Amino acid sequence: MPFIELETNLPASRVPAGLEKRLCAATATILDKPEDRVSVTLKPGMTLLMNGSTEPCVQLLVSSIGVVGTAEQNRNHSSGFFEFLTKELALDQDRIIIRFFPLEPWQIGKKGTVMTFL
């Protein structure tokens, strides 16, 4: 169950229509997870400062069980997400940061319990 949060200081008018669906599909491919298990949240218009600048930028938060726990895994994932985001948002790579958060099944609540018991 990957959770993706894209935070950006780009105004909503500069975020391409349908980005959440394309990001969902890209995440499923990059993380090798079923697309119907991916949750995507877009947060445009945020106040962000990156590398001392308020120029357009993105922070992508990637949380998942079992696929973001090592440097080797995240290096491969990072490459795929950077390729996607630079094309979709027309940003240079130095204006994008990705943060990976490994999750355990007991940290995700669903259907009145936690994933451990599903």
Side-chain angles (χ1 to χ4, degrees):
M1 274 191 93
F3 298 92
I4 305 298
E5 296 178 44
L6 188 146
E7 301 173 340
T8 182
N9 58 359
L10 290 169
S13 63
R14 282 224 19 225
V15 174
L19 178 65
E20 68 281 359
K21 291 180 182 177
R22 292 188 301 281
L23 180 55
C24 179
T27 297
T29 299
I30 292 165
L31 299 182
D32 194 29
K33 294 283 190 171
E35 193 171 334
D36 64 348
R37 299 285 177 101
V38 178
S39 294
V40 174
T41 303
L42 297 183
K43 299 178 183 177
M46 296 186 74
T47 302
L48 294 174
L49 175 92
M50 184 181 293
N51 303 328
S53 170
T54 58
E55 290 297 312
C57 62
V58 165
Q59 290 187 84
L60 186 71
L61 288 69
V62 180
S63 306
S64 190
I65 297 171
V67 294
V68 296
T70 70
E72 291 78 16
Q73 288 174 320
N74 293 347
R75 177 177 49 193
N76 291 332
H77 303 329
S78 182
S79 175
F81 283 118
F82 269 93
E83 181 179 341
F84 176 83
L85 293 171
T86 54
K87 287 179 183 175
E88 285 283 340
L89 299 175
L91 294 175
D92 291 334
Q93 287 194 359
D94 67 341
R95 303 305 299 158
I96 300 169
I97 290 181
I98 302 172
R99 298 187 299 169
F100 295 98
F101 298 96
L103 295 174
E104 296 295 328
W106 56 266
Q107 294 175 299
I108 301 171
K110 187 173 181 179
K111 297 183 180 179
T113 187
V114 292
M115 292 298 292
T116 304
F117 302 109
L118 294 176

